[in-house]
Amino acid sequence: RRCGLAAGRSYSGGGAYPSVSLTCPLPGVPKAVFAAAESRERFETRVTVLENGLRVASQNKFGQFCTVGILVNSGSRHEAKYLSGISHFLEKLAFSSTAQFGSKDEILLTLEKHGGICDCQASRDTIMYAVSADARGLDTVVNLLADVTLQPRLSDEEIEMTRMAIRFELEDLNMRPDPEPLLTEMIHAAAFRDNTVGLNRFCPVENTDKINRGVLHSYLSSYYTPDRMVLAGVGIEHEHLVECARKYLLGVQPVWGSGQGRAVDRSVAQYTGGIIKVEKDMSDVSLGPTPIPELTHIMIGLESCSFLEDDFIPFAVLNMMMGGGGSFSAGGPGKGMFTRLYLNVLNRHHWMYNATSYHHSYEDTGLLCIHASADPKQVREMVEIITREFILMAGAVGEVELERAKTQLKSMLMMNLESRPVIFEDVGRQVLATNTRKLPHELCALISQVKPADIKRVVTKMLHKKPAVAALGDLTDLPSYEHIQAALSSKDGRLPRLYRLFR
């Protein structure tokens, strides 16, 4: 092999150009010195606990912008002793007027000076206030977040506007062609009837007029306490974030006072199983030149596990292995075309419009479910096919499909964590739940260790539970809950017995 500039190569253009080797050093060029991280710890998640119990967590990351926010251990699952819908109201009221800022516009103008945007999201177990802005405006951002969280005005006008917004949102939910948010609510209500994560995430219509400043303050006094909060930041120096936390979040008197509210609900989720059915005319949900055909939607779920348990990783791999999606979807293996719900269901039954696996996991429980939709006349066969897929989960797991699912899960994890706001949420949620954070390479190592026996073990444990079923649309041909339960409790998993149950 010839190195350097001596060799020449003729190209189609007819000219002769020097051939430069990619493996030999260039003559006369000094040896390259590559940059290296000063220390591994500098780029790992750091956590500091302040005197009042507030946790401050940060992840350093190169770039001009940062994402900073406050996560509160509060959500719809904590509303058992209160009116349902408080978290929904708090989400809509976020970043409104505070003790320092006279209106939402004033807050947005303040953020605009630092190129910032803000958002609030409420889930079943967490409320998250977040701001992305120039890192040089960190002091202003933390001051704003502290004010929004602990000093909201909650004026009568803002609460009335929130009532209207929530009513419009509830109407929109019932009119959407995609019923996935409604089905998610229904399957949780069926799986955990009247307790914790089974409580409604959206405010019921009858409660919109009952929630006022007094109700909100009562709830906030119980759940918005420093020991239930994490200030998380990505793209900033940890010491600077701790300094700002001490300045704006230590010794602050909340607007609702320092008096203790009702006792915090520490109930553990109780899985019940069951069915929730909503008869609904789905023939006109999508009007226009190419309307969506009338469909009936079914979601069947079984209890999985908490994200704190070791079995969480095998369940995540199982969910990726099931995969699925809509019947009209373009793409290759990256889109999950080799997952079981594509290969065994959508590719074999052209009349099914959707078959998708979902995994919801919480601090004390979890739910693995499959959403399917088809023409109302074929509901019976659709339920049979989905229950069969649950039973087949306990069968043999191929090495190729398992490796593909593990690789896809690791790829999805790493791609998502390229985004600064996603890193922020990951840091905040993990520290809120465990006071520490598993780094991506640790999670990838755990994913790599999953074996076929692990999948079979978690599925066997899952199949011993009663199913949770949510059904929406024309339910004339829906099999009874007893039939679905009997099919899924088949100990030997033999399919002929399953077929007879539905025929």
Side-chain angles (χ1 to χ4, degrees), residues 306-324:
S306 154
F307 58 66
L308 299 176
E309 296 178 47
D310 292 339
D311 283 343
F312 171 68
I313 298 294
F315 268 116
V317 174
L318 172 64
N319 180 56
M320 192 61 67
M321 195 167 72
M322 297 307 296

Side-chain angles (χ1 to χ4, degrees), residues 207-241:
N207 284 358
T208 53
D209 288 325
K210 298 176 185 175
I211 294 176
N212 53 37
R213 190 190 297 110
V215 171
L216 294 171
H217 278 184
S218 174
Y219 179 86
L220 290 166
S221 65
S222 292
Y223 290 96
Y224 275 47
T225 55
D227 58 301
R228 300 180 66 85
M229 292 181 178
V230 169
L231 173 66
V234 175
I236 35 81
E237 291 288 344
H238 185 72
E239 289 76 13
H240 191 187
L241 186 62

Side-chain angles (χ1 to χ4, degrees), residues 77-78 80-81 195-197 223 264-270 364:
R77 70 168 295 162
H78 300 107
K81 299 176 183 177
N195 77 88
T196 58
V197 294
Y223 290 96
V264 171
D265 184 8
R266 302 190 187 280
S267 304
V268 176
Q270 301 296 317
D364 51 0

Side-chain angles (χ1 to χ4, degrees), residues 275 277 298 376 379-380 383 469 471 474-480 484:
I275 186 168
K277 300 188 286 187
I298 305 294
V379 168
R380 202 170 192 83
V383 172
V469 182
D474 181 348
L475 307 179
T476 308
D477 293 331
L478 178 70
S480 71
I484 298 171

